Amino acid sequence: MADKVITCKNLTKKFGDFYAVHNISFDVSQGEIFGFLGANGAGKTTAMRILCGLSYPTSGEASVAGFDVYTQQERIKQNIGYMSQKFSLYENLTVLENITFFGGVYGVPAAQLKERSRQLIAKLGLTNEAKKLVASLPLGWKQKLAFSVAIFHEPKIVFLDEPTGGVDPVTRRQFWDMIYEAAANGITVFVTTHYMDEAEYCDRVTIMVDGKVEALDSPGNLKSRFDVTSMDEVFYRLARNAVRSGD
Amino acid sequence: MKQFLVFIRKEFFHVFRDKRTLLIMFGLPLVQIVLFGFALTSEVKNITLTVIDNSRDLNSRQLTDKIKSSSYFVVNESNIDYNDVLKLFKKNEAKCALIFPSRFGDDLKHNGKAQIQILTDGSDPNTAKTVVNYISNITSAYQQEISNGKPLEYVITPEPRMLYNEEGNGSLNFIPGVMALVLMIVSTALTSVSVVKEKELGTMEILLVSPFKPLMVLISKAVPYLILSLLNIIMILVLAVFVLDVTIKGSIILLFLESMLFIITCLSLGLMISNTTNSQQTALLLSMMGMMLPTMIFTGFMFPLENMPKVFQWISNIIPSRWYFLIIKAVMLKGLGFGYVWKETLILFGMTVLTLTIALKNFKTRLS
Amino acid sequence: MNPVVLDHITKTYENGKVLAASDVSFEVASGELFGLIGPDGAGKTSLFRILTTLLLPDKGNASVLGLDCNKDFEEIRRRIGYMPGRFSLYQDLTVKENLDFFATLFGSTLEENYSLIKDIYEQIKPFNNRRAGKLSGGMKQKLALCCALIHKPEVLFLDEPTTGVDVVSRKEFWDMLKTLKQQGITIVVSTPYMDEAMLCERIALIQTGKILTIDTPGKIIAAFPVPLYAVKAKDTYRLLTELRKRSEIASCFAFGDYVHITLKDNSNESQTDQLKQELIQAGHEQFEIKRIEPTIEDSFIQLMSQTYGR
């Protein structure tokens, strides 16, 4: 087995009497595309915040990129990238300004920054758009750029929050091509989503219901276990009896 | 009609369920009244008082000693004449002066009454007023003393004169000022925000698609805030009368009618703002910067208009709150009737008609 | 005349710079459940706003229930139901207050058309006194639907009602639409989820303001021009990159753990056997290839490439 870059053991987060995350355990290997699924309110976001070093768990153990979530939050943050559909880039900065800004923030050495920015822009085919405002790009390009920026500082793990909701089928596939490529280069991809069609692309998925992990397997195995043809139906079987749902 | 009533009820739900709105609406006037009323007229101590004694007799010296012994003043006795005092004021080297006329003691003894003059710097009206009060108090204590408890045999009349701001702007004037300010905030900012909120939520689309007339949507939005603004006026007046001991000299009905007119101006401004933007933040910013700031600067309740450059004075003419301020000051503090404020009222009325027309004309029955 | 007619509608924003609808025409028959399927930014919302009289098109005519969307907008507004995208009701009003408000606004009462909303309303009735902001996504959506139905509209416009809602609630929502359809209401619904297309009677696929095709989902799938194959191997990314390099492949897209491909030359069935052999020899484990029925998403991709030459 490859290196474990994320390990969770009996991880729990309580808000008062409320178990947002209840005793979850899983491991994620290096280069894996790991789907973290659940309805709104199932506890996905809370769990992801812990793993990103933004909040402390109530009990249990977890480490990310080899660093402990209780004591080494700052080290964790240096080793991860993050992208969400809602916010990732500054719309009123140009493509180049966004890349250099985020590169700088995440500690890409100044000496390399210029050359690597140029390479990235060339690779994305945005040479002519480098000086244009991000706001003027089509949605699909924005997402590709956002992902590239999220892995620009070569993190060990990248967290993606509902990365492809609402884009057209072709753009979505181009986006997943990039994710596959990143994974093939050894970056671990952690996708949280409630869009089940995004789940189909993951190597393994966990499905969270009411703060607990209800299933953890590859999409193919889950589908055959429930004898259904899509992740949608797998999810429906597992989540229809959920008590909790929020926004 | 039923739709209209239901709509208004809904607006009240919004207001009473949002703590922030409630706080702005009722907390703000409270804070402002208390702030202006107490904080700004706090006690004054150790003020340098220039005393010019042209009489130099027993009585003037006794009174000066009394003032010296109080903790309020540091007395600076001087031989300069009246014009030099004025120069000191101009150079900001004196804040207040007490002048005994040359026959002070004689007058008091022979006529049973005498005068003293108190000069104060009116550009700081709060201090000026306090100084006048203190000296008057000390003087009246002194005259009781020399009258030996009998019905006053000797009367000293202090004759205060505020330099630079002879009307004493700013003393009680802040109450009409606060009224204008609060109405601006409640009517303009809250109305515009509540309309724009519907746009942000997507409910405006439903409201437009409904058979309820688009204009009625605006009117139903405005009516609750009209009512709330009137409540606010009542609250401010009650606070002014019972907490700050202000007497309302003029007609309360006139006061309310004029306030209604001004509220409608503010509501129209709020609706105008909500027509131009789709974001609550912009609406709030526009109302605050665009409406509140001019109200504070150009009504004359914080900074005397007469001292401003001509351009500013000219600009102040187009600020509705300036006219409202003049009207309320006249009615409330001076007790004047409609006959004295009809010109200002007419100007305000004209502004109201204009803004309301623009607001209603620009309201779109479709999305842009 | 059909209850919903769009006739060569063009709509642009920002002085023609942004094209929201480009020469769009379609009609929806009475009692039909019609779906407008396309990604974000395809122009779905603009079309809905034109039909609900909230926007005027630059060119073309639109009519609803035989009434002109420009001239007779007041009459149309009385007779349609509309649920805008991201419609979230009044968060600070309770369920009951929201319902009563919208009922009165549309000149009706909760009781008047109770039979129509009964099935939906009873699910949220236990939360009558809860504020709308405290409801779950699925509950909110049910409440919004009730509000849109409360005056018994003849045509119902639902703009992305299932966006951001979890799978369970989405399923329930489509069940509700089917029930409504049985009551004779014409329904126009939009969605970015391709899989929901199959739940509509007829659909229009739309991309950057252009209609790609309009038909029943079955016929759109049947019109897929060439055979479609699904390929699978253990290392999907490697499979994908190697397939793309091969000259005989016309299109190649990842679909979950499978890769869907079409071939340039479809006369020779044995090509796939050869492909299989060569890829297994290249070291692909658990290799699998099979001919499959296209999905709406396959059709969408194919039509997109055809229209935009990708």
Side-chain angles (χ1 to χ4, degrees), chain A residues 18-31:
Chain A
F18 177 79
Y19 285 91
V21 174
H22 199 176
N23 223 3
I24 62 171
S25 304
F26 60 84
D27 295 328
V28 185
S29 310
Q30 198 208 343

Side-chain angles (χ1 to χ4, degrees), chain C residues 116 149 156 176-185 187:
Chain C
L116 187 67
L149 283 169
L156 188 58
M176 289 186 277
L177 291 192
K178 271 181 213 154
T179 320
L180 286 175
K181 187 193 132 49
Q182 282 160 11
Q183 308 203 32
I185 298 177
I187 303 172

Side-chain angles (χ1 to χ4, degrees), chain B residues 2-3 6-11 13-15 17-18 197-198 200-214 221 365-368, chain C residues 49 52-56 69-70 73-74 77-78 80 82-84 86-94 97 100-102 104-107 109 131:
Chain B
K2 197 181 167 214
Q3 293 166 319
V6 167
F7 204 115
I8 289 173
R9 195 181 63 182
K10 175 197 82 110
E11 288 306 315
F13 283 149
H14 288 324
V15 172
R17 286 176 189 180
D18 183 25
K197 200 169 165 188
E198 301 251 6
E200 275 190 3
L201 270 176
T203 42
M204 188 52 97
E205 283 180 60
I206 298 282
L207 297 181
L208 288 178
V209 163
S210 80
F212 198 48
K213 291 254 180 301
K221 275 268 163 197
T365 51
R366 298 172 197 274
L367 301 165
S368 59
Chain C
R49 288 186 172 162
T52 52
T53 74
L54 288 170
L55 273 184
L56 291 176
C69 285
N70 185 2
F73 68 96
E74 287 188 344
R77 289 175 182 193
R78 251 190 291 280
I80 59 165
Y82 174 41
M83 197 170 137
R86 298 182 308 278
F87 176 45
S88 43
L89 303 148
Y90 294 108
Q91 309 289 311
D92 51 349
L93 300 193
T94 65
E97 284 163 356
D100 285 337
F101 173 72
F102 285 106
T104 315
L105 197 69
F106 283 89
T109 58
R131 305 248 171 111

